[in-house]
Amino acid sequence: SLDIWDPFEGFSAVASVPPSARETTAFATARIDWKETPEAHIFKADLPGLKKEEVKVEVEDGNVSQISGERSKEHEEKNDKWHRVERSCGKFMRRFRLPENAKVDQVKAN
């Protein structure tokens, strides 16, 4: 038999959450590294499949850096047969409070 054990089977808290909400939650934790050099604070985000136009980088409240965006669900054709979907979709947003010495007027993204 090719039955796969599902550790969440019968677990009502997860089972009651619609699949679309689980997808959004998964993408909400976009992985971001933050390092400080003598010249700058550098953020590197793992956002595979997104174009730079789909990612927004801004500073709010004086010294809070916010990185946000959204990955759309892949278009499904009528005859498609999906075997596994692990890449998440939905909105994400990460916020970081920058130190007082950060030059927020010089923020750049690439």
Side-chain angles (χ1 to χ4, degrees), residues 43-64:
F43 294 87
K44 291 187 178 185
D46 285 341
L47 304 171
L50 290 180
K51 299 177 184 139
K52 65 180 180 178
E53 300 82 26
E54 297 172 319
V55 179
K56 190 175 188 179
V57 178
E58 54 195 338
V59 177
E60 359 177 275
D61 300 329
N63 69 336
V64 177

Side-chain angles (χ1 to χ4, degrees), residues 4-110:
I4 304 293
W5 174 64
D6 181 359
F8 298 110
E9 184 176 347
F11 187 68
S12 61
V14 173
S16 65
V17 176
S20 60
R22 284 182 287 217
E23 292 168 356
T24 301
T25 302
F27 199 44
T29 59
R31 307 281 187 203
I32 297 178
D33 296 339
W34 174 12
K35 73 175 177 179
E36 181 177 355
T37 69
E39 296 80 31
H41 290 268
I42 300 171
F43 294 87
K44 291 187 178 185
D46 285 341
L47 304 171
L50 290 180
K51 299 177 184 139
K52 65 180 180 178
E53 300 82 26
E54 297 172 319
V55 179
K56 190 175 188 179
V57 178
E58 54 195 338
V59 177
E60 359 177 275
D61 300 329
N63 69 336
V64 177
S65 174
Q66 179 173 298
I67 302 169
S68 61
E70 182 174 5
R71 179 181 299 139
S72 301
K73 190 171 183 174
E74 193 164 324
H75 178 70
E76 296 182 25
E77 296 293 330
K78 182 179 177 184
N79 295 324
D80 288 350
K81 180 179 179 183
W82 290 85
H83 292 279
R84 187 164 195 86
V85 177
E86 292 185 344
R87 296 183 310 142
S88 54
C89 62
K91 294 180 181 181
F92 70 92
M93 178 180 63
R94 297 292 308 273
R95 299 176 82 187
F96 303 91
R97 184 168 307 282
L98 299 171
E100 295 299 323
N101 67 346
K103 298 176 183 173
V104 296
D105 58 329
Q106 297 178 19
V107 169
K108 295 185 278 183
N110 60 27

